[in-house]
Amino acid sequence: MAVSRSILITGASRGIGLGLTQAFVQTGWQVHAVSRNLTGSNELQALATQHGQSLQLIECDLEQREAGQLIDQALGDQHLTCALFNAGVYGPQHQDPRQASSAEIGQLFLANAIAPISLAQQLAGRIETGGVIAFISSQMASLQLNHALDMPLYGASKAALNSLLLSWSSHYAELPWSLLALHPGWVRTAMGGPDAQLSVLDSAAGLYQVISAQLDRRTCAFLDYQGQTLPW
């Protein structure tokens, strides 16, 4: 059966990104998986061997200025149903605005907010009408929920991502695709830690369902992995 849907997934070599790559390729999607370093991505490489042409691997550092051009060239003439930008660094371990250096803050906001939005805007012309452009955000981005008490710098960077997403959506009288900020839950990853509530498998399965449900809706929304709406 011919593949009819395709998705670009960044940060695909580990954690939630790897889980999402598995979820989409195993359900018949054509997946274009972006990793900063393919040499060290053993699980992603094994997945590509298993699925053949259904999984294209693209090596690219999303923070470099020419990232959009490199990914654009790798995609060739391939249009995308969806693009999922899975960016997330913790930032300085202390999470204290009084101690944070300009370099630490610059790196945190570049990785978590500026780079993914910039790349999405560069590649938006490839997204089919009625498709989805999604970003892994966090409930810590919600100013109303105020859940970032222990991770204020990280939360602020994800709030910046959500703010940029809303600003982007406001440029359209009618969105050509859905724009989503997604909270994956508290997941057992290198960042989430061993005590987190969710496995990568469960989070990825939920996010897969949420993204699939947003096809053809053309809305801007902040949702968790169960499809529940979160306050901005």
Side-chain angles (χ1 to χ4, degrees), residues 145 181-183 206 210 214 221-231:
L145 292 178
L182 299 174
H183 170 53
V210 171
Q214 290 296 318
F222 185 15
L223 306 170
D224 70 9
Y225 72 100
Q226 296 177 308
Q228 299 299 309
T229 299
L230 298 176

Side-chain angles (χ1 to χ4, degrees), residues 138-152 155 183:
S138 169
Q139 66 176 353
M140 295 184 197
S142 171
L143 301 183
Q144 185 173 330
L145 292 178
N146 193 26
H147 285 334
L149 299 181
D150 296 326
M151 297 174 64
H183 170 53

Side-chain angles (χ1 to χ4, degrees), residues 105-138:
I105 294 300
Q107 172 63 24
L108 176 64
F109 278 74
L110 175 63
N112 287 1
I114 305 301
I117 289 288
S118 173
L119 183 57
Q121 291 179 343
Q122 291 176 66
L123 298 175
R126 287 186 177 270
I127 309 300
E128 299 166 357
T129 300
V132 171
I133 301 176
F135 301 83
I136 296 299
S137 183
S138 169

Side-chain angles (χ1 to χ4, degrees), residues 58-73:
I58 302 172
E59 186 171 72
C60 181
D61 182 348
L62 303 186
E63 295 175 26
Q64 59 184 331
R65 185 178 296 274
E66 61 272 20
Q69 180 181 355
L70 292 173
I71 293 174
D72 196 56
Q73 290 173 349

Side-chain angles (χ1 to χ4, degrees), residues 206-221:
L207 291 170
Y208 170 83
Q209 293 296 333
V210 171
I211 291 169
S212 298
Q214 290 296 318
L215 291 170
D216 295 320
R217 292 196 177 182
R218 298 206 230 176
T219 60
C220 182

